[in-house]
Amino acid sequence: MGGSFRRVENFPNVPETSMHLPVTIEPLEIHKVCLPPNKTAFQAFKQSFSEIFFPDDPLHQFKDQTFLRKLVLGLQYFFPIFQWGPNYSLKLLKSDLISGITIASLAIPQGISYAKLANLPPIIGLYSSFVPPLAYAVLGSSRDLAVGPVSIASLVMGSMLREMVSPLKEPVLYLQLAFTATFFAGVFQASLGLLRLGFIIDFLSKATLIGFMAGAAVIVSLQQLKGMLGIVHFTTKMGFLPVMSSVLSHRTEWAWQTILMGFCFLVFLLVARNVSLRKPRLFWVSAAAPLASVVLSTFLVFIFKAQNHGIKTIGHLEQGLNPPSANMLYFHGPYLGLAVKTGIVTGILSLTEGIAVGRTFASLKNYQVDGNKEMMAIGLMNMAGSCTSCYVTTGSFSRSAVNYNAGSKTAVSNIILASTVLVTLLFLMPLFYYTPNVILAAIIITAVIGLIDFRAAFRLWKVDKFDFLACFSAFFGVLFISVQMGLAIAVGISMLKIVMHVTRPNTVILGNIPGTQIYRNIGHYQEATRVSYFLILAIRSPIYFANSTYLQERILRWVREEEERIQAAKENTLKCIILDMAAVTAIDTSGIGALVELKKTLEKRSLQLVLANPIGEVIEKLHRSKSTETFGLDGIYMTIGEAIASISSLLKEQP
């Protein structure tokens, strides 16, 4: 190993900095670079597997417990309701009762509105606000997540299914595909949690999601112009240009009564939303505004018989509980692929939103949300929903924010929400007969406006131009091509960013901070100075097959540029290149081969290549590949300072 037998010396004049200022090298003890403890192949695999899939070590709580205690802990792990349920009290019920009724006042009109956004019968939105919250209350680990339909998943499901099946011409088939897509979304979500593959959803970066959601919000808002203007014949396409073309080409269908009512209630909803944003204590204003709008508009239509004067209403909605829909799941035929694709896409989107919302509010209350358990809970919730006439649901940000501000303590608030929806389904459905469609359009517009985050986009521009490009591309992809294409662009740019970071890692020149054994980037620290005879390079990433050739070429370029600089400045000739491996967390066979080849190439030019700061896994692989023999005793060191001290000694002894 490098530096196994080194003497301790002081070299006051060697090396010199590139500015000809002497650097005094303190006496250093050259330490041996050791291999990590021997492990069997199974032990190494077990540790790697555990680190990747079980970073939180979920089984630690079962250690040294009796069988009965393990059984109880197992029930609490898979069904969190058994964890907090035994300690539930009337005081907690009071808080959850208030928050549950509050979010129900928002969830009922939103459920009807979002179902129409997905081109589904409005009653499906209410069904989807009954069974899923009950399932989540038993399985979910978040205290604040309020479950139900969400705008993005509704929009994507509606746009994807409508491309191949018309909800007007083939309503039964469309409904079958919606339930089947929900089933596959649940299967996909639960599988990610069961197999602990939640990191897959992290490929949707925050930057791309900001752009995607903003674009989707604009498209959703433009689609609501059909209801806001009273247009009967409207385009089925989702792009900006087709929607605006349809709006302008059907000006003869605009109804001033609808426009007047829609504009007035939209202003009311936006003002209520703004009041709650400015004064969070008045959260109930925006929470109650949608239901108040529904009640008031319904009353006005009923009193003035507005349905006879150009204002279209929801019409008849069936009373009763969710009918079973397991017999409607579509597992064969030409549209099965469409259902699977729609399920996976909407499953990813709803899962991303649900986990992000759950973690956000958990951090505010200082408790943990298990991402994999949440995936299983949301997945099983959607699987159950697909069999009870529900479509894709997840944790809604708007409803969860209202739930949090209303003082919810546990998931019982979801049970209260479901109970309120149950009462509505059983007894209040006839009241929605005169509810105007324009109110649902106004509610949707108000809800999705919050998805347009200008401040976040501006921060992206200031902090990371590539992230801003990703956001920008996703936004315009949704706006001018399609929702699905915008999502594909978002995922593609996220993947491209990962590929760029992996294949083009950063390398920098390090210099010595005078009077210390610290070496830092000379482009960052002005006081850091080059060390004569040496070029010290830091590699800031693992070395894989994907970047090994690039690193080899980039290092040779650094060497060439350094030699040209030395020649121009008439400084001491370059003798040695030191690679700082502290940030190289892993290396594969291609990376090892690249280092060996690089060493041979440099030796032909009378230059020495040494490695410093290799971590355990890297030095272990170098040893197993016998590459340590190639580098020799003078080729691998524990620190940069020890490498410079040792090699300077050898240079001094040379004639």
Side-chain angles (χ1 to χ4, degrees), residues 5 122 138 142 154 166 206 238 340 371 422 443 478 513 527 564:
F5 308 100
V138 176
S142 172
S154 302
S166 171
K206 185 176 180 180
M238 301 297 291
V340 173
L422 171 63
I443 291 172
V478 172
I513 304 295
E527 64 269 33
E564 292 173 353

Side-chain angles (χ1 to χ4, degrees), residues 57 66 98 143 156 203 239 272 303 331 349 362 491 537:
D57 189 16
T66 63
I98 294 172
R143 305 172 196 167
V156 172
F203 283 100
I303 291 296
F331 292 128
L349 286 175
V491 175
L537 297 174

Side-chain angles (χ1 to χ4, degrees), residues 620-641:
E620 183 179 15
K621 287 190 176 181
L622 289 172
H623 176 71
R624 287 181 178 177
S625 66
K626 300 188 182 303
S627 298
T628 50
E629 297 177 5
T630 303
F631 281 89
L633 296 177
D634 300 322
I636 303 176
Y637 294 87
M638 186 175 288
T639 68
I640 297 174

Side-chain angles (χ1 to χ4, degrees), residues 241-300:
L241 296 177
V243 170
M244 293 307 299
S245 175
S246 181
V247 169
L248 296 175
S249 61
H250 294 96
R251 291 190 300 273
T252 56
E253 297 182 8
W254 294 10
W256 70 266
Q257 301 94 331
T258 302
I259 296 173
L260 179 62
M261 176 176 279
F263 178 78
C264 291
F265 278 100
L266 179 60
V267 171
F268 168 70
L269 290 167
L270 291 175
V271 170
R273 178 178 180 273
N274 191 56
V275 168
S276 296
L277 287 176
R278 290 180 177 274
K279 296 183 178 181
R281 290 184 178 180
L282 298 177
F283 68 90
W284 54 270
V285 174
S286 63
L291 187 59
S293 299
V294 169
V295 172
L296 182 57
S297 63
T298 302
F299 179 75
L300 291 174

Side-chain angles (χ1 to χ4, degrees), residues 544-607:
Y544 292 124
F545 65 93
N547 62 24
S548 57
T549 301
Y550 167 80
L551 282 173
Q552 191 175 356
E553 294 173 350
R554 188 65 184 90
I555 291 170
L556 289 174
R557 177 184 165 188
W558 278 122
V559 172
R560 187 191 75 240
E561 291 174 348
E562 183 68 6
E563 288 178 332
E564 292 173 353
R565 187 196 66 79
I566 289 173
Q567 185 176 4
K570 298 181 180 180
E571 297 177 2
N572 294 320
T573 307
L574 181 64
K575 297 291 186 181
C576 179
I577 292 87
I578 300 176
L579 295 185
D580 179 16
M581 307 281 283
V584 180
T585 55
I587 192 169
D588 66 0
T589 53
S590 297
I592 294 171
L595 290 180
V596 172
E597 186 177 342
L598 179 64
K599 180 175 177 59
K600 293 178 180 178
T601 301
L602 292 173
E603 284 178 347
K604 293 178 181 178
R605 298 167 60 175
S606 300
L607 295 172

Side-chain angles (χ1 to χ4, degrees), residues 14-324:
V14 181
E16 296 177 352
T17 66
S18 60
M19 298 178 66
H20 302 286
L21 295 175
V23 175
T24 301
I25 300 179
E26 299 294 333
L28 287 178
E29 180 182 353
I30 310 301
H31 298 85
K32 181 179 180 180
V33 178
C34 300
L35 291 170
N38 288 329
K39 294 179 184 177
T40 64
F42 176 75
Q43 288 175 326
F45 172 78
K46 181 180 178 181
Q47 181 179 359
S48 177
F49 182 85
S50 176
E51 289 295 326
I52 293 173
F53 296 102
F54 299 93
D56 54 344
D57 189 16
L59 301 180
H60 74 282
Q61 59 181 326
F62 295 93
K63 294 178 181 177
D64 304 322
Q65 301 289 341
T66 63
F67 174 77
L68 183 60
R69 181 59 181 163
K70 288 180 179 179
L71 183 62
V72 172
L73 290 173
L75 281 173
Q76 291 178 345
Y77 182 79
F78 290 104
F79 303 96
I81 193 171
F82 289 111
Q83 187 172 358
W84 53 263
N87 301 318
Y88 200 72
S89 64
L90 288 175
K91 183 179 179 181
L92 295 175
L93 177 61
K94 180 182 177 182
S95 299
D96 289 335
L97 185 64
I98 294 172
S99 58
I101 293 175
T102 304
I103 56 175
S105 68
L106 177 64
I108 291 171
Q110 276 192 350
I112 295 173
S113 303
Y114 292 160
K116 290 182 70 67
L117 189 60
N119 304 304
L120 294 168
I123 191 67
I124 301 297
L126 289 181
Y127 291 158
S128 302
S129 299
F130 173 54
V131 172
L134 290 176
Y136 184 82
V138 176
L139 300 169
S141 60
S142 172
R143 305 172 196 167
D144 302 283
L145 204 65
V147 169
V150 292
S151 57
I152 292 298
S154 302
L155 169 67
V156 172
M157 173 175 283
S159 62
M160 292 184 71
L161 293 181
R162 193 171 60 180
E163 281 191 351
M164 297 185 66
V165 179
S166 171
L168 298 177
K169 297 179 181 178
E170 301 174 281
V172 176
L173 176 59
Y174 188 90
L175 198 58
Q176 287 179 317
L177 293 177
F179 293 150
T180 308
T182 300
F183 176 80
F184 282 113
V187 170
F188 178 72
Q189 292 166 334
S191 300
L192 289 183
L194 184 64
L195 300 176
R196 304 186 72 83
L197 298 175
F199 59 85
I200 289 177
I201 66 173
D202 294 333
F203 283 100
L204 277 176
S205 69
K206 185 176 180 180
T208 55
L209 281 176
I210 290 171
F212 171 75
M213 289 192 295
V218 173
I219 289 296
V220 168
S221 299
L222 292 176
Q223 280 283 328
Q224 302 319 303
L225 291 176
K226 174 185 178 181
M228 294 291 291
L229 301 176
I231 298 175
V232 178
H233 303 91
F234 200 72
T235 180
T236 58
K237 297 180 180 180
M238 301 297 291
F240 175 81
L241 296 177
V243 170
M244 293 307 299
S245 175
S246 181
V247 169
L248 296 175
S249 61
H250 294 96
R251 291 190 300 273
T252 56
E253 297 182 8
W254 294 10
W256 70 266
Q257 301 94 331
T258 302
I259 296 173
L260 179 62
M261 176 176 279
F263 178 78
C264 291
F265 278 100
L266 179 60
V267 171
F268 168 70
L269 290 167
L270 291 175
V271 170
R273 178 178 180 273
N274 191 56
V275 168
S276 296
L277 287 176
R278 290 180 177 274
K279 296 183 178 181
R281 290 184 178 180
L282 298 177
F283 68 90
W284 54 270
V285 174
S286 63
L291 187 59
S293 299
V294 169
V295 172
L296 182 57
S297 63
T298 302
F299 179 75
L300 291 174
V301 170
F302 177 75
I303 291 296
F304 295 105
K305 305 297 181 183
Q307 71 274 19
N308 299 326
H309 301 282
I311 294 182
K312 297 175 179 59
T313 61
I314 291 178
H316 176 70
L317 294 178
E318 294 183 6
Q319 285 182 271
L321 296 179
N322 299 33

Side-chain angles (χ1 to χ4, degrees), residues 425-551:
L425 287 169
L426 291 177
F427 305 109
L428 304 180
M429 297 312 294
L431 300 179
F432 289 98
Y433 182 87
Y434 293 100
T435 300
N437 288 327
V438 66
I439 292 302
L440 303 182
I443 291 172
I444 291 175
I445 292 173
T446 307
V448 300
I449 279 178
L451 299 176
I452 305 175
D453 195 342
F454 292 105
R455 292 182 180 178
F458 182 69
R459 284 196 299 270
L460 291 176
W461 171 259
K462 290 179 64 177
V463 176
D464 191 322
K465 298 299 188 292
F466 192 94
D467 274 352
F468 179 80
L469 175 63
C471 173
F472 187 85
S473 301
F475 175 77
F476 282 101
V478 172
L479 209 59
F480 290 104
I481 305 177
S482 68
V483 174
Q484 303 94 288
M485 202 62 199
L487 181 61
I489 291 173
V491 175
I493 292 176
S494 297
M495 296 296 293
L496 176 62
K497 185 176 181 180
I498 295 172
V499 170
M500 288 293 292
H501 280 298
V502 170
T503 61
R504 295 296 183 267
N506 191 24
T507 57
V508 296
I509 297 179
L510 302 184
N512 177 253
I513 304 295
T516 72
Q517 287 295 329
I518 299 173
Y519 295 83
R520 290 293 183 266
N521 182 359
I522 62 173
H524 183 190
Y525 292 87
Q526 293 183 354
E527 64 269 33
T529 56
R530 286 178 166 88
V531 181
S532 289
Y533 303 110
F534 293 90
L535 173 62
I536 309 168
L537 297 174
I539 301 174
R540 300 288 177 81
S541 83
I543 304 177
Y544 292 124
F545 65 93
N547 62 24
S548 57
T549 301
Y550 167 80
L551 282 173

